[in-house]
Amino acid sequence: MTWSIIAHDPSDGAIGIAVASRFFACGAMVPYVGAKTAVASQAFCNPVWGTEGRDRLQAGEAARDVLADFVKRDAGQAIRQCHMMDAQGDFVAHTGADCTDWAGHLIGDGFSVAGNMLAGSQVIEATADALVQSRDLPLPQRLLAAMRAGEKAGGDKRGKQAAGLVIHHGEAHPWLDLRVDDHGDPLAELDRLLDVAGERYLFFADAMPGAQRFSGLPTREALDARIEAEYDRRLRAGHVSRSLATDP
């Protein structure tokens, strides 16, 4: 199952994974992101490749060494697919020989793409091309644009069901973690959720405490002002909220 993309934005240190599949809750199973690292474990995914891999990469091990160790230790490596980024910003990938066609991976400058059960190699190529061509966008929008391009190129050859988007901004905890587990157009729904997150949530995420800023913003005045300014901007632009929340 699945295709996914890992990308790093050197301008602010953001690291993200986007994933889509005709498989339930792929956003819960595939991405493992840390403060400076990322692992996407897919196909017949082994979650230990994700959890152990993230821990070892965070501790400073090279991605090539971690991945080689997993392939050596795992008797099921032929049906695994994995790509990862280490704390030095190096990417590696593995596509097992028995992954369902089409299966393969691609590594570029600051990103990697991998997929299996795809319509063809054009899916990961279109995903990569769209990421490169959208450098002016913030990382969450870039990742979604890349995945939509891959979907337009054929995507998962079985169809659509689930998607996920995880972004970390230099912390062990996520800045953004969105999932669509069962939907007829999961990437479109992910886009809606990202737009709703931009109304208030992302400002709250920016203000949250972190390892080097334990108290975060200890008062709420500045946060409230940013949210109010965004509300006014959207109002002036005629941007109607896409939230499905009930009225307060």
Side-chain angles (χ1 to χ4, degrees):
M1 61 152 190
T2 307
W3 94 100
S4 63
I5 181 167
I6 300 174
H8 174 232
D9 185 347
S11 68
D12 63 1
I15 300 168
I17 296 180
V19 58
S21 182
R22 175 60 172 83
F23 189 87
F24 182 79
C26 64
M29 300 179 66
V30 172
Y32 299 84
V33 185
K36 297 181 179 180
T37 64
V39 180
S41 175
Q42 55 199 50
F44 276 79
C45 58
N46 183 335
V48 182
W49 286 42
T51 54
E52 181 183 325
R54 178 178 56 194
D55 289 347
R56 291 171 62 178
L57 295 173
Q58 281 294 129
E61 287 193 58
R64 64 180 180 274
D65 296 333
V66 173
L67 187 60
D69 179 53
F70 288 165
V71 171
K72 181 179 179 180
R73 286 164 53 198
D74 191 343
Q77 62 84 15
I79 55 173
R80 314 283 188 223
Q81 187 175 54
C82 181
H83 53 131
M84 59 178 68
M85 185 193 83
D86 62 26
Q88 293 73 46
D90 294 325
F91 289 80
V92 295
H94 165 78
T95 298
D98 293 337
C99 287
T100 304
D101 283 338
W102 187 88
H105 55 262
L106 183 159
I107 295 176
D109 182 13
F111 70 91
S112 57
V113 187
N116 58 91
M117 293 190 177
L118 301 183
S121 62
Q122 72 274 11
V123 177
I124 64 169
E125 293 163 1
T127 303
D129 288 345
L131 186 83
V132 172
Q133 296 301 319
S134 60
R135 293 188 186 278
D136 56 325
L137 294 176
L139 185 58
Q141 285 80 3
R142 286 184 69 199
L143 289 171
L144 276 184
M147 294 299 290
R148 294 302 292 268
E151 182 177 79
K152 187 175 181 180
D156 187 323
K157 65 184 180 182
R158 300 164 301 167
K160 298 181 274 189
Q161 184 173 13
L165 175 65
V166 182
I167 308 286
H168 283 232
H169 275 185
E171 300 287 349
H173 63 266
W175 176 75
L176 181 69
D177 189 350
L178 301 177
R179 280 173 43 193
V180 179
D181 289 340
D182 186 34
H183 196 280
D185 195 349
L187 289 175
E189 177 64 2
L190 208 55
D191 180 74
R192 184 189 71 81
L193 293 174
L194 180 59
D195 183 58
V196 174
E199 295 178 1
R200 300 178 63 90
Y201 179 82
L202 295 184
F203 298 106
F204 180 81
D206 285 340
M208 283 194 297
Q212 302 303 317
R213 194 180 63 168
F214 187 73
S215 299
L217 286 182
T219 61
R220 61 179 298 158
E221 288 79 8
L223 174 60
D224 288 343
R226 291 187 67 195
I227 292 172
E228 185 67 23
E230 176 63 10
Y231 175 82
D232 291 341
R233 186 195 69 79
R234 289 180 177 233
L235 192 64
R236 290 193 302 272
H239 189 128
V240 177
S241 176
R242 298 165 69 187
S243 174
L244 303 181
T246 58
D247 292 333

